[in-house]
Amino acid sequence: QVQLVESGGGLVQPGGSLRLSCKVSGFTSTSYSIGWFRQAPGKDGEGLSCIKIDDGATHTRDSVSDRFTISRDNVNNTVYLQMNRLKPEDTALYYCAASSIFRVCVVQLGGMVGGMDYRGKGTLVTVSS
């Protein structure tokens, strides 16, 4: 059974940094991709970044690409989202999701969110002074 568990959220001041973690279990190979998404109250969900677990290829939403970086640790089955220079508008529930097809994740970086095979419950990020 595939499970994704996020951690690392919290309260941070504007300009600060956070590193979110997505612990993945249940996959029997590395032929899958993980995406980070966020959902703010009253707003549509946003796809932020995707990574292929087998070769590490990534794709990040243009609007956050200068501040957010996705990475993976295949030894510990964890995917990270490093977020720098955080802004109040980054406040949201952040969650990771998995798909067997990288492109399914990538198309959500600029369009409607939906279609991943599995997702975690999320971790809340609040950017406020």
Side-chain angles (χ1 to χ4, degrees):
Q1 181 179 357
V2 174
Q3 289 188 320
L4 298 90
V5 180
E6 302 91 341
S7 62
L11 175 64
V12 62
Q13 292 188 340
S17 297
L18 281 175
R19 188 177 77 159
L20 306 183
S21 299
C22 173
K23 179 72 172 178
V24 183
S25 62
F27 282 102
T28 57
S29 75
T30 57
S31 298
Y32 64 96
S33 299
I34 296 292
W36 279 101
F37 301 82
R38 68 185 179 188
Q39 178 75 57
K43 295 185 179 180
D44 293 334
E46 285 185 322
L48 300 172
S49 195
C50 307
I51 188 166
K52 289 183 70 181
I53 298 303
D54 52 5
D55 64 9
T58 64
H59 201 96
T60 300
R61 187 184 189 93
D62 287 345
S63 61
V64 299
S65 61
D66 61 333
R67 300 187 295 123
F68 293 4
T69 303
I70 194 170
S71 62
R72 80 203 196 288
D73 176 352
N74 285 2
V75 173
N76 294 302
N77 296 321
T78 302
V79 173
Y80 302 100
L81 184 69
Q82 178 68 42
M83 305 188 297
N84 299 326
R85 303 195 307 279
L86 284 161
K87 306 173 183 179
E89 51 264 43
D90 293 319
T91 295
L93 179 71
Y94 286 70
Y95 64 93
C96 59
S99 175
S100 59
I101 303 172
F102 186 55
R103 180 158 180 78
V104 168
C105 182
V106 173
V107 297
Q108 297 177 60
L109 300 183
M112 289 184 62
V113 170
M116 303 295 279
D117 299 322
Y118 308 93
R119 63 161 285 179
K121 294 180 179 180
T123 184
L124 186 62
V125 172
T126 302
V127 185
S128 175
S129 54

